[in-house]
Amino acid sequence: MRAAAVLLVLLAVSGCGGAVQVEPPAPQGAAATACAKLGPLLPQTLGGAERTTSSPESPYVAVWGEGEIAVRCGVGRPARMAPTDQLQEIDGVGWFADPDRSTLFTAITDVAYVETTIAAGHVAPEILARLSGAIGQVTSAKTG
């Protein structure tokens, strides 16, 4: 439900200019440490979009373009993910694709869940591959 609210906020401000409104997560402990390290490792350009600022600013959120790609590190476990679900492995990182929302993907790691929203018009596997390298550097990835 929370992810749906984030997507609605992203869509609502898309095209408005300025910082993109994204609700930041509040990771604790090892997740907070890993997520703080992730931000600087993420690319400046992703899917042809430049990295921009989010509001409120957070070390746990990264946004590209006018919100068409957003990463939130340290979110809760995906509600729709079952213990028997298979993850798609990309560069050593297991990704859960939300079956109800084709734009929502979550990296499943031992340390933190990393939620990624990718708007239509972008090639999700390419975006996830670019993100997997950085995520793998700061977490121990699970592949299901």
Side-chain angles (χ1 to χ4, degrees):
M1 185 59 121
R2 178 168 283 188
V6 171
L7 181 61
L8 290 175
V9 169
L10 287 173
L11 293 175
V13 299
S14 183
C16 295
V20 178
Q21 296 282 324
V22 179
E23 179 185 342
Q28 302 294 311
T33 301
C35 290
K37 291 178 183 176
L38 178 62
L41 298 175
L42 295 172
Q44 287 303 105
T45 303
L46 191 57
E50 292 293 319
R51 191 162 170 181
T52 188
T53 57
S54 63
S55 177
E57 288 189 41
S58 170
Y60 311 126
V61 173
V63 178
W64 289 263
E66 294 180 351
E68 64 254 32
I69 302 170
V71 170
R72 298 178 3 142
C73 186
V75 299
R77 182 181 184 278
R80 291 278 291 136
M81 191 173 77
T84 56
D85 283 340
Q86 293 292 315
L87 303 178
Q88 178 183 1
E89 183 180 340
I90 301 174
D91 292 335
V93 174
W95 289 92
F96 172 73
D98 190 298
D100 296 330
R101 298 190 39 232
S102 61
T103 61
L104 181 62
F105 304 87
T106 305
I108 309 301
T109 75
D110 289 336
V111 179
Y113 295 111
V114 183
E115 178 184 273
T116 303
T117 306
I118 305 170
H122 290 281
V123 181
E126 291 177 10
I127 302 296
L128 299 178
R130 290 281 315 275
L131 296 173
S132 290
I135 292 169
Q137 288 182 46
V138 298
T139 64
S140 293
K142 284 185 183 177
T143 56

